[in-house]
């Protein structure tokens, strides 16, 4: 069965890169453009793993992660944070919010798939 | 070992044994105390450590109660996870060789 | 979709982000302190940096990085966005835009300027306030390293973490080193979506692993918390990898577990704890019915390698497919058949989850052209049916009506494809205001309104140039110097307002400045000096203001660098007219001027009135016509030999014989035998255009005369009518201007902007 990935990113460029990379690697991909939309589609999407950006309008990655972790049904879903920020402060905030892991942009496809494989069965 | 045990109860494990399922599984097992139990793990697709902890604790409880607690028809995924975390998939005890 | 296409998307997105960045900075400049505004600005730069990194656009990344660092100081309230700070930011935004352009189109940016700004940005990030004077470009002379990396905790120097342990040999390959690992997860590890079993799985892929599960901490069933972490592991791993690789496995979990990794003492591989080798001998589990498939589990690292290989292959396949699509596209360009390329394009589009598709503009243009032909064809068909079938009730007629309706709808829908908001053009203007104002030492704010008003893309594209010209003029000549403004009791900062809105099927663009307004005395004098008007001409204020659109007219005392050859508003007017638009000015001395441009929403079709003039069929744009009337002899008043007025509801309006003006006939026709079209031209008041007869009203497809023939004064374009005849579309403003020229100074009939005598 195909693994389902929910990606949340406001950049059309990154969304497309994620889409191409994930589809090529045989994942089913659902995309949202910000945290608010991410939480909206979460219910119907039932993802195996979530990949999210941090800096987004309306609801940023931290808020989105907290939202997922508060969700009774989806709180256990692994969440990977996709960000250019590799500094400890951002990572820590993401972790405090409940992120499972992170991928530092610019990501290469192998790195992304790798990280997803690491947190999914 | 009790000889006149009642017909063994049976519990089919959910396909996804994740964080959410741990409490559910715990609740189910708590309600089955006192009788022999056969765990059907044939549907398990994904197993996590927290459910394994519940199962191991249950196996101990059943042993203390003098009842049998056995895993039957474990799925491949269940077996693999058990192996990875060093637990005997049938006896649900830390594997001692 | 391949990387090149994504790159195109990236550049499109850059445009949007740059616009976002600029409007955000301008808002901050206006005193907006909404954290969301600062966030949006930060995000814009951040997003550009992120995408640029993915494509290895290093110059862009390093500049964006420095910029972002400084913006983060603003975001975290460590830097107050004062006007001086924002000036640096706005200039940085301009350089960022230049870098994006250079990355896309090749070419280079002003390296000294960008280095200078890098210095300024860094100084701001370090808490040094900018010098109040703005011209710091000189500071750029000192060569700065291209990408100075901030070292404090605020800098996000991207350090890509390495997880390529699977395909990379470590420099220290310890043949079969044995490690002892103690791993004790905490509750948080699980609640954050990590799973100890998966970590152990990944660990097992590094080599040969034996494991002991420590279950001692597990309480009794009825006392346990199902979500607590009780198990811990002691693992021994024989691997060729180094300790780093082992720690990398736990990278995501290291805060949420206790982890010890150390080289095992070789003498005692086992201690008191029994170990389970993993993967272990299957015979132990041989009673389990499902275990025979065990052999299918390949070596763990093999799985990953295979997955990656598969991903790679998939990428290559896609790449090949898109190359094929490209080849097909090229073939399509030479041959007319577009089907395969479109199919390929559709496939690519279908795989994208977006709600928009990008289409080559050429395709849309071709579609629009074809629909234009369809409209003409449909009109011709209707006409011939009407001519051959007088009953008017036949099913053919009804079908034709439906066809007409459908054609119209198709046309509207196709036009809508090309409609785009004027926002990008408006946004470009703010940079021009900034740069020109900087050059002439003025302080000017650009306010835009109605940026989302949509208009045909071709109109937008052609709008930029005249608008740029007008903006430069407004900054250079319209707005006074701060000193003069203050002396006049105005705010030293000038305001230019750019507005777009839809009005009765056209787009109206207004450019308003709060400067000194037109100096009518000087304009008038200049016009007299230049022989544009008679010294005794009696002109209304509006007419004087509109003199600035006359060719070669310049009121600037000094010709500045900015406006080049002087005011040159005639050039602007000509560009606007070429777009089928009109432009006028109204001015209040001391309060400023307003330029109003009215443009068609599309350049492809036009609602027109078909008229006959001296045996020729002409089309008069409907938008220009106020009303039509049948002149009565009593209403006509003659002035001199050539000039006549018509009285309409107690006011007089000059009567213009179109046939005479266009040189279709030698003498003026008798107004009573024709029809008068009352038209309103930009700024010039009303005129009654005399034509011989009205044939009807219809939508016509505009065919450029310039493209097919040559520019004809007084004629805007041509069209093909339903009966297949070619008809000329009248340029109402040119005709009115010509008539005004006559009226003002007959002997200078050749001087006005439209030398109609030359028209054949």
């Amino acid at each position: 069965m195909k693994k389902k990935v929910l990606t949340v990113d406001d950049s059309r460029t990154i969304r497309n890169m994620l889409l191409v990379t994930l589809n090529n690697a045989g994942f089913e991909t659902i995309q949202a453009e910000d945290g608010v939309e991410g939480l909206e589609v979460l219910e119907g999407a039932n993802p195996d793993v979530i990949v999210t950006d941090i800096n987004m309008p309306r609801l940023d990655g931290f808020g989105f992660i907290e939202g997922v972790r508060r969700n009774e049904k989806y709180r256990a879903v692994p969440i990977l944070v996709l960000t250019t920020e590799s500094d400890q402060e951002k990572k820590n905030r993401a972790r405090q919010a409940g992120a499972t892991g992170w991928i530092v942009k610019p990501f290469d496809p192998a790195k992304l798939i790798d990280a997803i494989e690491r947190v999914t069965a | 070992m009790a000889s006149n045990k009642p017909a063994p109860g049976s519990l089919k494990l959910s396909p996804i044994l994740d964080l959410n399922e741990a409490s559910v599984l715990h609740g189910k097992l708590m309600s089955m105390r006192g009788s022999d139990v056969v765990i059907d793990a044939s549907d398990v697709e994904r197993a996590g450590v927290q459910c394994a902890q519940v199962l191991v604790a249950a196996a101990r409880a059943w042993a203390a109660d003098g009842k049998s607690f056995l895993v039957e028809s474990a799925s491949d995924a269940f077996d693999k996870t058990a192996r990875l975390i060093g637990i005997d998939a049938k006896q649900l005890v830390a594997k001692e060789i | 979709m391949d990387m090149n296409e994504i790159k195109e998307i990236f550049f499109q997105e850059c445009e949007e982000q740059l616009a976002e960045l600029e409007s955000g900075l301008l808002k901050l400049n206006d005193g907006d302190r909404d954290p969301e505004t600062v966030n949006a600005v930060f995000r814009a730069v951040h997003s550009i940096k992120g995408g640029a990194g993915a494509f290895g656009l290093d110059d862009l990344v390093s500049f964006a990085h420095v910029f972002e660092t400084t913006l983060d100081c603003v975001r975290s309230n460590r830097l107050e966005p004062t006007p001086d700070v924002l000036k640096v930011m706005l200039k940085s935004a301009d350089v960022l835009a230049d870098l994006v352009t250079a990355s896309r189109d090749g070419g280079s940016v002003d390296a000294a300027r960008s280095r200078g700004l890098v210095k300024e940005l860094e100084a701001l990030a370090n808490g040094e306030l900018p010098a109040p004077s703005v011209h710091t470009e000189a500071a750029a002379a000192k060569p700065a390293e291209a990408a100075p990396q901030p070292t404090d905790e605020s800098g996000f120097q991207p350090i890509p973490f390495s997880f390529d342990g699977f395909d990379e040999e470590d420099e220290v390959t310890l043949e079969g080193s044995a490690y002892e690992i103690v791993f004790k997860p905490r509750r948080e590890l699980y609640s954050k979506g990590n799973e100890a079993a998966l970590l152990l799985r990944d660990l097992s892929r590094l080599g040969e692993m034996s494991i002991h599960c420590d279950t001692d901490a597990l309480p009794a069933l009825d006392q346990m918390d199902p979500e607590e972490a009780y198990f811990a592991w002691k693992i021994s791993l024989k691997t060729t990898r180094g300790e780093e690789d082992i720690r990398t496995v736990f990278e995501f979990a290291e805060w949420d577990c206790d982890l010890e990794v150390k080289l095992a003492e070789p003498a005692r591989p086992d201690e008191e704890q029994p170990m389970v080798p993993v993967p272990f001998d299957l015979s132990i589990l041989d009673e389990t019915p499902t275990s025979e498939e065990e052999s299918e589990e390949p070596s763990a690292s093999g799985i990953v390698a295979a997955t990656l290989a598969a991903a790679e292959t998939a990428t290559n396949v896609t790449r090949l497919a898109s190359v094929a699509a490209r080849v097909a596209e090229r073939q399509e360009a030479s041959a007319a058949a577009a089907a395969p390329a479109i199919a390929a394009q559709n496939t690519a589009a279908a795989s994208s989850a977006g709600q928009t598709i990008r289409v080559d503009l050429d395709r849309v243009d071709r579609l629009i052209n074809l629909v234009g032909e369809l409209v003409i064809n449909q009109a011709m068909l209707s006409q011939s049916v009407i001519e051959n079938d007088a009953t008017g009730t036949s099913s053919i007629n009804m079908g034709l009506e439906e066809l007409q309706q459908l054609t119209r709808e198709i046309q509207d829908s196709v036009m809508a494809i090309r409609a785009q908001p004027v926002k990008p053009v408006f946004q470009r203007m703010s940079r021009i205001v900034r740069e020109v104002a900087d050059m002439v030492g003025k302080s000017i704010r650009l306010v835009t309104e109605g940026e989302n008003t949509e208009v045909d893309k071709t109109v937008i594209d052609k709008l930029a140039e005249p608008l740029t010209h007008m903006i430069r003029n407004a900054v250079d000549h319209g707005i006074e110097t701060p000193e003069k403004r203050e002396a006049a009791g105005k705010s030293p900062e000038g305001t230019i307002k750019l507005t777009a809105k839809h009005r009765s099927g056209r787009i109206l663009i207004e450019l308003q400045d709060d400067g000194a307004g037109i100096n009518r005395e000087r304009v008038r004098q200049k016009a007299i000096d230049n022989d544009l008007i008679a010294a005794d001409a009696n002109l209304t204020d509006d007419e004087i203001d509109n003199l600035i659109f006359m060719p070669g007219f310049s009121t600037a005392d000094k010709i500045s660098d900015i406006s080049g050859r002087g005011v040159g508003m005639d050039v602007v007017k000509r560009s606007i007219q070429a777009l089928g638009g009109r432009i006028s000015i109204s001015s209040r001395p001391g309060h400023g001027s307003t330029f109003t441009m009215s443009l068609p929403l599309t350049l492809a079709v036009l609602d027109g009135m078909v008229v006959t003039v001296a045996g020729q069929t002409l089309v008069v744009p409907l938008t220009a016509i106020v009303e039509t009337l049948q002149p009565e002899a009593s209403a006509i008043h003659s002035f001199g030999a050539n000039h006549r007025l018509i009285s309409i509801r107690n006011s007089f309006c000059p009567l213009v014989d179109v046939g005479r003006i266009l040189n279709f006939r030698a003498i003026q026709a008798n107004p009573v035998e024709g029809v008068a079209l009352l038209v309103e031209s930009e700024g010039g008041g009303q005129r009654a255009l005399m034509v011989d007869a009205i044939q009807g009203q219809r939508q016509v497809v505009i065919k450029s005369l310039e493209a097919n023939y040559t520019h004809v004064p007084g004629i805007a374009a041509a069209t093909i009518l339903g009966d297949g005849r070619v008809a000329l579309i009248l340029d109402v403003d040119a005709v009115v201007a010509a008539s005004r020229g006559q009226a003002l100074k007959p002997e200078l009939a050749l001087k006005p902007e439209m030398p109609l005598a030359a028209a054949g």
Side-chain angles (χ1 to χ4, degrees):
Chain A
M1 209 177 62
K2 272 190 173 184
K3 269 182 213 167
K4 221 188 259 187
V5 186
L6 168 64
T7 75
V8 189
D9 198 310
D10 60 325
S11 157
R12 203 155 72 237
T13 308
I14 303 297
R15 277 204 304 280
N16 276 290
M17 294 189 88
L18 286 169
L19 186 72
V20 169
T21 307
L22 293 172
N23 284 354
N24 285 347
F27 292 100
E28 190 181 333
T29 312
I30 305 131
Q31 300 200 300
E33 298 184 10
D34 58 39
V36 173
E37 195 191 352
L39 290 177
E40 277 165 12
V41 302
L42 183 64
E43 211 58 46
N46 193 13
D48 294 302
V49 60
I50 296 169
V51 177
T52 181
D53 191 22
I54 289 294
N55 285 296
M56 293 183 292
R58 298 211 287 171
L59 181 62
D60 66 11
F62 304 128
F64 169 70
I65 295 167
E66 281 163 9
V68 176
R69 292 290 176 242
R70 272 197 302 268
N71 182 305
E72 279 295 305
K73 198 171 159 203
Y74 297 102
R75 66 191 174 111
V77 177
I79 304 173
L80 292 168
V81 171
L82 188 59
T83 174
T84 47
E85 287 150 26
S86 63
D87 75 310
Q88 218 49 51
E89 187 199 321
K90 288 279 174 345
K91 257 192 220 171
N92 283 345
R93 272 193 69 190
R95 292 193 54 79
Q96 274 158 20
T100 308
W102 55 88
I103 304 154
V104 174
K105 289 190 282 189
F107 68 89
D108 65 74
K111 219 155 76 180
L112 172 72
I113 303 304
D114 231 22
I116 291 177
E117 295 288 344
R118 287 169 79 179
V119 297
T120 55
Chain B
M1 298 290 163
S3 50
N4 55 340
K5 55 194 175 207
S10 167
L11 176 63
K12 197 172 180 90
L13 298 180
S14 304
I16 309 292
L17 298 179
D18 64 2
L19 174 68
N20 275 338
E21 184 63 18
S23 300
V24 178
L25 179 62
H26 184 257
K28 281 183 193 162
L29 287 167
M30 287 294 284
S31 71
M32 296 176 88
R33 284 289 288 268
S35 52
D36 293 347
V37 162
V38 172
I39 303 289
D40 178 351
S42 60
D43 279 359
V44 175
E45 291 164 14
R46 214 169 79 200
V49 166
Q50 282 164 318
C51 284
Q53 290 180 154
V54 172
L55 287 171
V56 170
R60 286 182 186 172
W62 259 250
D65 294 348
K67 303 290 178 188
S68 83
F69 188 89
L70 263 185
V71 175
E72 289 199 341
S73 50
S75 70
D76 199 28
F78 187 83
D79 267 344
K80 275 185 190 166
T81 304
R83 243 186 350 264
L84 280 168
I85 66 175
I87 297 292
D88 183 314
K90 280 191 82 65
Q91 306 297 328
L92 294 170
V93 289
K95 194 81 185 172
E96 317 261 344
I97 295 180
Chain C
M1 181 162 331
D2 65 6
M3 274 307 163
N4 281 331
E5 285 172 77
I6 297 179
K7 203 166 175 176
E8 270 178 50
I9 292 174
F10 165 66
F11 284 123
Q12 280 177 13
E13 200 173 15
C14 277
E15 293 298 324
E16 292 160 24
Q17 300 292 354
L18 287 168
E20 200 58 45
L21 167 65
E22 185 167 40
S23 68
L25 287 174
L26 290 172
K27 273 192 215 162
L28 293 176
N29 210 18
D30 288 347
D32 182 338
R33 289 293 177 270
D34 184 349
E36 191 36 48
T37 306
V38 184
N39 280 336
V41 163
F42 176 86
R43 262 198 317 271
V45 177
H46 181 75
S47 193
I48 290 173
K49 183 179 116 179
F55 295 106
L57 305 170
D58 297 338
D59 289 352
L60 194 50
V61 171
S62 48
F63 188 83
H65 176 64
V66 176
F67 195 178
E68 181 192 72
T69 305
T70 309
L71 283 169
D72 195 45
C73 293
V74 176
R75 193 165 71 151
S76 56
N77 295 320
R78 277 175 286 153
L79 178 64
E80 172 68 16
T82 62
D84 285 332
V85 168
L86 282 161
K87 212 151 210 170
V88 176
M89 299 267 181
L90 281 162
K91 277 196 255 175
S92 301
D94 293 343
V95 166
L96 193 64
D98 291 344
L99 282 163
V100 167
T101 309
S103 302
R104 183 184 52 210
D105 306 333
S108 58
V109 299
D110 183 347
R113 186 169 185 218
S114 80
R115 274 199 306 267
L117 279 169
V118 163
K119 284 230 170 266
E120 289 187 59
L121 286 170
E122 283 177 325
L124 290 178
N126 292 332
E128 297 164 27
L129 290 176
S133 129
V134 289
H135 292 282
T136 33
E137 252 98 345
K142 236 194 278 172
E145 54 275 55
Q149 310 300 357
T151 47
D152 63 326
E153 84 287 351
S154 67
F156 329 118
Q157 170 53 11
I159 304 162
F161 80 79
S162 154
F163 189 69
D164 19 351
F166 290 118
D167 49 52
E168 188 185 276
E169 291 298 328
D170 265 299
E171 56 287 327
V172 228
T173 11
L174 301 167
E175 275 301 331
S177 308
Y179 287 92
E180 276 189 9
I181 301 151
V182 177
F183 169 45
K184 181 172 183 354
R186 282 190 288 272
R187 183 191 183 100
E188 293 75 32
L189 183 143
Y190 298 105
S191 67
K192 287 176 190 166
N194 271 305
E195 172 54 61
L198 294 177
L199 296 170
L200 293 169
R201 174 197 66 182
D202 289 354
L203 196 60
S204 76
R205 290 172 178 172
L206 294 182
E208 200 181 311
M209 181 170 101
S210 303
I211 190 162
H212 169 79
C213 180
D214 179 358
T215 60
D216 292 352
L218 185 67
L221 182 66
D222 50 5
Q223 277 159 31
M224 75 181 294
D225 174 349
E227 296 189 4
E228 188 50 72
Y230 298 112
F231 286 1
W233 291 270
K234 191 166 181 199
I235 305 131
S236 99
L237 178 69
K238 266 173 92 177
T239 177
T240 54
R241 312 280 178 173
E243 185 179 329
E244 248 339 279
D245 289 340
I246 296 170
R247 289 200 177 269
T248 300
V249 169
F250 294 95
E251 188 189 15
F252 294 159
E254 63 181 308
W255 283 273
D256 302 319
C257 68
D258 294 330
L259 183 67
E260 265 176 54
V261 180
K262 59 178 183 203
L263 272 172
E265 282 137 57
R268 300 157 46 197
D270 291 21
E271 291 187 9
E272 72 282 7
Q273 301 283 17
M275 299 297 242
V276 185
V278 177
F280 61 75
D281 187 354
L282 295 174
S283 58
I284 296 168
L285 281 179
D286 57 4
E287 321 100 301
T288 312
T290 55
S291 62
E292 80 260 5
E293 306 151 21
E294 194 42 47
S295 54
E296 100 181 0
E297 181 176 16
S299 90
S301 56
I303 294 177
V304 175
T307 312
L308 291 180
E312 207 107 297
T313 310
T315 313
N316 285 337
V317 169
T318 328
R319 207 169 288 147
L320 282 178
S322 57
V323 165
R326 248 151 223 281
V327 170
E329 229 173 83
R330 240 171 258 137
Q331 286 167 343
E332 171 263 343
S334 49
I342 288 170
Q345 184 94 3
N346 286 348
T347 319
S351 72
S352 124
Q355 285 149 330
T356 58
I357 58 161
R358 293 187 312 108
V359 180
D360 201 1
L361 195 60
D362 286 347
R363 289 188 183 164
V364 178
D365 286 346
R366 195 169 51 167
L367 184 61
I368 285 176
N369 258 329
L370 287 172
V371 172
E373 300 294 333
L374 179 67
V375 170
I376 291 171
N377 207 273
Q378 174 265 321
M380 288 166 77
L381 189 61
S382 299
Q383 184 122 358
S384 74
V385 166
I386 289 162
E387 280 163 12
N388 295 306
D389 172 39
T391 62
T393 52
S394 72
S395 58
I396 295 180
N397 254 327
M398 285 167 62
L400 269 176
E401 249 168 61
E402 268 172 48
L403 179 64
Q404 187 172 2
Q405 184 66 29
L406 273 175
T407 314
R408 190 85 186 211
E409 277 175 30
I410 291 174
Q411 195 168 26
D412 288 348
S413 312
V414 169
M415 294 303 167
I417 294 178
R418 273 208 309 206
Q420 292 197 324
V422 295
K423 195 172 182 171
V425 178
F426 274 26
Q427 240 135 11
R428 252 189 276 171
M429 296 308 135
S430 91
R431 175 173 183 174
I432 288 158
V433 168
R434 218 157 41 235
E435 290 185 342
V436 177
D438 228 25
M439 261 190 261
V440 297
K442 291 180 187 172
S443 171
I444 297 171
R445 216 160 58 99
L446 178 74
V447 180
T448 56
E449 243 174 51
E451 309 174 296
N452 292 321
T453 310
E454 289 193 340
V455 64
D456 194 298
K457 184 168 166 32
T458 46
V459 177
I460 291 182
D461 292 346
K462 290 180 178 162
L463 195 59
E465 208 185 303
L467 209 51
T468 303
H469 205 85
M470 290 168 69
I471 292 265
R472 283 168 180 269
N473 266 316
V475 175
D476 198 11
H477 305 300
I479 305 271
E480 319 90 318
T481 59
E483 300 79 50
K484 275 192 190 164
R485 290 182 65 88
E486 272 182 323
K490 296 195 214 175
S491 150
E493 187 188 54
T495 303
I496 294 177
K497 194 170 164 192
L498 192 55
T499 317
K501 57 189 168 206
H502 281 145
R503 209 179 64 186
S504 52
R506 290 171 79 85
I507 183 169
L508 208 68
I509 294 175
E510 272 183 9
L511 179 69
Q512 193 177 358
D513 67 60
D514 67 348
I518 297 276
N519 184 337
R520 296 204 176 108
E521 259 322 294
R522 214 163 82 213
V523 168
R524 199 188 141 85
Q525 194 52 50
K526 200 98 186 176
I528 293 168
D529 293 350
N530 287 7
D531 276 351
L532 293 169
I533 55 167
D536 58 350
N538 184 19
L539 301 181
T540 64
D541 285 350
D542 260 2
E543 281 173 325
I544 295 176
D545 289 348
N546 280 283
L547 284 173
I548 64 161
F549 292 115
M550 300 289 263
F553 194 93
S554 172
T555 57
D557 293 331
K558 49 173 194 226
I559 293 189
S560 65
D561 286 346
I562 294 98
S563 311
R565 60 207 167 214
V567 182
M569 287 305 289
D570 60 316
V571 178
V572 170
K573 182 166 190 178
R574 223 178 283 278
S575 321
I576 298 294
Q577 278 175 334
L579 287 171
R582 301 188 293 260
I583 182 166
S584 67
I585 180 178
S586 69
S587 178
R588 281 176 65 206
H591 290 89
S593 309
T594 304
F595 287 90
T596 308
M597 283 163 283
S598 153
L599 293 157
L601 292 179
T602 168
L603 300 183
V605 291
L606 172 104
D607 282 305
M609 185 170 283
V610 184
V611 300
T612 311
V613 175
Q616 304 279 337
T617 301
L618 291 178
V619 178
V620 183
L622 217 51
T623 45
I625 300 175
V626 181
E627 65 174 299
T628 62
L629 36 102
Q630 198 80 52
E632 284 168 25
S634 60
I636 311 289
H637 308 273
S638 288
F639 271 78
N642 291 321
H643 302 130
R644 282 173 295 182
L645 296 178
I646 181 169
S647 66
I648 305 162
R649 290 182 291 273
N650 299 327
S651 74
F652 292 99
C653 176
L655 201 57
V656 179
D657 181 0
V658 175
R660 178 72 201 96
I661 285 256
L662 293 180
N663 240 355
F664 285 176
R665 53 188 160 221
I667 51 158
Q668 296 206 352
N670 182 358
V672 184
E673 286 165 10
V675 181
L677 310 178
L678 195 61
V679 296
E680 191 159 59
S681 73
E682 288 303 323
Q686 293 191 337
R687 291 290 187 280
L689 299 188
M690 284 303 309
V691 301
D692 299 349
I694 292 175
Q695 295 179 18
Q697 213 172 293
R698 73 178 53 133
Q699 189 176 58
V700 297
V701 179
I702 299 173
K703 297 278 173 189
S704 162
L705 214 52
E706 280 96 333
N708 298 306
Y709 179 54
T710 175
H711 177 71
V712 180
I715 300 299
T719 188
I720 301 167
L721 296 174
D723 56 9
R725 278 181 301 148
V726 172
L728 299 175
I729 300 171
L730 198 68
D731 184 340
V732 172
D733 284 330
V735 168
V736 169
S739 75
R740 191 191 300 142
Q742 280 177 346
L744 292 173
K745 207 163 187 187
E747 70 272 25
L748 282 169
L750 290 178
K751 251 217 163 127
E753 53 194 297
M754 291 295 166
L756 286 169

